[in-house]
Amino acid sequence: IKVQPFYELDIEREHLVEQTLEKIKQADPKDIRKRLRVSFKGEEGLDAGGVTKEFFQLLSEELFDVHSGLWTDKYGDDLNWFN
């Protein structure tokens, strides 16, 4: 039996959040505990840490963008809250 030590995440940059959430939702819980290896579809490159770092940077920027629709400022201009 060959055990894969990584959870492979192959996604498109244009659909980063949607594809990431869908793949995690479909994954076996045991696989999610593995080390993450990210690749962007249509791009060459081995993930020696840089691609994963870029992935989390892009994901964070998109998730915490106040214009993404995930946040609301209905409690005042100085407070953003989950929409």
Side-chain angles (χ1 to χ4, degrees):
I1 298 174
K2 185 176 180 181
V3 177
Q4 179 66 282
F6 295 99
Y7 177 65
E8 305 274 345
L9 189 59
D10 185 35
I11 56 170
E12 299 169 354
R13 287 178 183 269
E14 297 80 23
H15 306 286
L16 188 108
V17 174
E18 297 90 349
Q19 289 181 0
T20 298
L21 292 175
E22 188 61 34
K23 290 188 183 241
I24 289 173
K25 186 169 69 172
Q26 294 173 358
D28 186 314
K30 291 181 287 189
D31 290 334
I32 295 176
R33 293 184 183 102
K34 296 178 181 178
R35 290 191 62 196
L36 181 63
R37 181 179 284 165
V38 177
S39 60
F40 291 109
K41 290 183 179 177
E43 297 181 22
E44 291 186 31
L46 292 173
D47 186 4
V51 178
T52 298
K53 180 180 176 182
E54 180 184 11
F55 164 76
F56 279 112
Q57 180 180 352
L58 294 171
L59 185 64
S60 296
E61 287 173 5
E62 200 163 327
L63 286 174
F64 293 106
D65 179 8
V66 294
H67 305 291
S68 69
L70 294 173
W71 307 97
T72 182
D73 61 358
K74 68 181 180 183
Y75 298 109
D77 292 338
D78 296 331
L79 177 66
N80 289 315
W81 197 253
F82 302 106
N83 195 6

